[in-house]
Amino acid sequence: MMMFKHLFKLIWNKRKQNFLFLSEILISFMVIFAVFSYLTYYYQNYSKALGFDYKNVWSVSYGNRQLPKNNDSLAIFYDNLTKALKAMPQIENITFSSSNYPYSDSFMSTGLTQNRRKFDRVSNFMVGDDYQKVWKVPLLEGRWFLPEDAVGKDKGVIINETLKNEMFGSQKATGKLIGDYDDKNKLKVIGVVADIKANGDFQPGNNAMFSRLDTGSLKWTGTLLIRVRANADATFESGLYKFMATATHSAIEIQHVNEMRDTRNRQTIIPMVIFIIIATFLIINVALGLFGVLWYNINKRKGEIGLRRAIGASGRSVSYQLVMEAMILATMSLIVGCFFAIQFPLLSVFNIPASVYIVAMLLAVLFIYLLVLFCSLYPGKQAAAIHPAIALHEE
């Protein structure tokens, strides 16, 4: 206890000289906290299940202006097109979809109401009856869409697990009624599926709702999703392109979903790598600064160190004192830094889970302690090697 009292007294007496050290530690902590928050957030998202199978799925975009305008004629056209495509041996399954399918650059959202609670920015997927089969989305509760859902009293919808938990908790959602954003029209939950990370492996699975593409909405549809078999090659892709161009009388674009996934992931990985590189250079500069400050303090305190050695202090105790001073200064800065860092989970900044900030703060504290310890060990060892006679002679 007396030792710590003595250390605090030394630190207080040199408060002006220690201000730079405290400032460097505080700034370093905030930077490291930001880096670890960034990495923890994306790691937590990456570690969660994808929720669907993107392999061997192609998207076909086409124009719908040349298609029949009459709903009955359009339904017959799509029925014939579906049968023709399914007859191809390289195709396992197909479905029509709105443009906001996984890894696309499109986003559609809606609002829902349940027990007077509003749920904003719910991803709204307009899908065909075989959407689940194409993506192999796990069904957790209830069932998927059937053709007879087109004549039901209440429009049937399927929600994802996250939205189900927010709305109904541990209760079953199947059969429950929810409202649209104005709560004027009722929607009947017929199924619950696992969360899907539609925006990339490093992005969270947001609240999502799946609605069935009816005859009226097919006229606006311009996306076909195809699950192909392993033997689907470039020759088949070329033939598929010609078939769709002839059938729809429009320009066709075929994309492989696995390539779209890689593109979306790069949009996260590249900024992450750049951010880490910049932070690494900053940390190296801070480490060199801390090392220099500690080295400068030892040179300024040679007389003090020599006197301590002359009255019997061991080199190990001198080294221990300098390391402990650095650790105490680091603790003082970390207390201030943690005060600011704890505001992020308390205020739900950026709408990120509190666990991300808590883990990042703990990792940043540990990192700073290790950094200060590493930077103070060698100067402390050099201080322990100072001969008392030489130090006193120089003074």
Side-chain angles (χ1 to χ4, degrees):
M1 190 66 183
M2 290 296 294
M3 177 185 293
F4 283 103
K5 184 178 179 180
H6 175 69
L7 289 175
F8 277 111
K9 186 176 181 180
L10 289 174
I11 291 172
W12 176 254
N13 290 335
K14 296 179 176 60
R15 54 189 179 276
K16 290 184 179 180
Q17 296 92 321
N18 291 328
F19 179 77
L20 178 61
F21 186 93
L22 292 169
S23 301
E24 283 189 329
I25 293 297
L26 178 59
I27 294 172
S28 301
F29 171 78
M30 297 309 297
V31 172
I32 298 301
F33 172 69
V35 172
F36 279 125
S37 296
Y38 195 70
L39 296 179
T40 302
Y41 174 70
Y42 285 124
Y43 174 76
Q44 286 188 359
N45 293 333
Y46 182 80
S47 62
K48 294 178 181 177
L50 194 59
F52 64 98
D53 183 8
Y54 62 88
K55 298 176 182 177
N56 297 325
V57 177
W58 296 357
S59 74
V60 181
S61 300
Y62 58 91
N64 50 29
R65 293 184 179 180
Q66 302 298 322
L67 300 183
K69 305 302 180 184
N70 179 270
N71 286 344
D72 293 335
S73 300
L74 187 63
I76 293 174
F77 168 80
Y78 273 120
D79 184 57
N80 292 333
L81 179 63
T82 299
K83 290 178 180 177
L85 289 170
K86 285 186 175 181
M88 297 180 182
Q90 295 89 346
I91 293 180
E92 184 177 324
N93 224 314
I94 72 166
T95 187
F96 295 95
S97 167
S98 53
S99 59
N100 61 328
Y101 58 93
Y103 306 130
S104 68
D105 290 327
S106 178
F107 178 77
M108 294 171 55
S109 67
T110 187
L112 297 174
T113 304
Q114 194 272 331
N115 280 347
R116 298 181 180 179
R117 290 188 301 159
K118 300 291 185 181
F119 296 85
D120 297 315
R121 293 183 63 80
V122 177
S123 296
N124 185 23
F125 298 91
M126 304 292 293
V127 301
D129 292 344
D130 290 333
Y131 192 88
Q132 182 205 10
K133 295 178 181 178
V134 169
W135 291 111
K136 297 184 179 179
V137 181
L139 191 64
L140 305 180
E141 185 183 322
R143 62 174 177 83
W144 194 255
F145 296 111
L146 297 173
E148 47 265 34
D149 290 325
V151 295
K153 176 183 176 182
D154 298 307
K155 181 181 178 180
V157 295
I158 296 170
I159 60 177
N160 70 336
E161 185 178 12
T162 296
L163 183 57
K164 176 259 180 186
N165 290 335
E166 291 186 13
M167 284 186 168
F168 306 105
S170 58
Q171 299 179 8
K172 282 195 172 183
T174 306
K176 300 285 181 65
L177 293 178
I178 58 179
D180 56 15
Y181 190 74
D182 296 324
D183 207 16
K184 293 180 179 179
N185 301 308
K186 291 298 180 181
L187 309 171
K188 184 178 180 180
V189 179
I190 64 172
V192 178
V193 296
D195 295 341
I196 64 172
K197 297 191 291 187
N199 297 317
D201 295 359
F202 299 95
Q203 301 296 327
N206 300 324
N207 290 341
M209 180 184 75
F210 300 84
S211 303
R212 185 176 182 271
L213 278 172
D214 54 21
T215 306
S217 56
L218 279 175
K219 66 177 64 177
W220 311 111
T221 303
T223 302
L224 175 67
L225 300 173
I226 302 176
R227 173 166 287 278
V228 298
R229 304 185 191 278
N231 62 344
D233 54 12
T235 302
F236 166 71
E237 184 175 348
S238 176
L240 176 65
Y241 180 93
K242 294 177 182 177
F243 173 81
M244 288 297 299
T246 303
T248 61
H249 305 287
S250 66
I252 302 297
E253 181 183 10
I254 299 178
Q255 294 179 287
H256 296 200
V257 174
N258 62 325
E259 296 175 358
M260 298 172 65
R261 169 181 174 265
D262 293 339
T263 301
R264 291 305 297 266
N265 285 340
R266 279 195 295 270
Q267 293 175 3
T268 301
I269 293 174
I270 292 175
M272 187 190 305
V273 171
I274 294 173
F275 185 40
I276 292 173
I277 292 174
I278 294 173
T280 300
F281 277 110
L282 179 61
I283 292 168
I284 292 173
N285 287 329
V286 168
L288 293 174
L290 293 177
F291 188 85
V293 168
L294 292 170
W295 187 271
Y296 175 77
N297 287 341
I298 290 173
N299 289 329
K300 293 288 289 184
R301 297 169 63 182
K302 276 190 175 182
E304 173 195 336
I305 295 171
L307 183 59
R308 288 202 63 203
R309 292 297 309 277
I311 61 176
S314 64
R316 184 176 181 180
S317 65
V318 170
S319 177
Y320 178 77
Q321 175 189 332
L322 294 173
V323 172
M324 286 304 299
E325 283 185 28
M327 299 300 282
I328 291 173
L329 287 169
T331 302
M332 294 170 64
S333 289
L334 289 174
I335 291 173
V336 177
C338 288
F339 171 79
F340 290 108
I342 201 65
Q343 306 306 313
F344 284 79
L346 292 177
L347 300 176
S348 297
V349 178
F350 304 124
N351 200 27
I352 291 176
S355 60
V356 171
Y357 292 124
I358 299 299
V359 171
M361 186 168 61
L362 294 176
L363 290 174
V365 168
L366 177 61
F367 185 90
I368 290 298
Y369 273 130
L370 292 176
L371 180 65
V372 172
L373 180 63
F374 175 78
C375 292
S376 60
L377 281 177
Y378 185 73
K381 183 179 179 181
Q382 291 296 104
I386 295 175
H387 195 278
I390 297 175
L392 293 174
H393 177 72
E394 290 180 356
E395 291 295 320

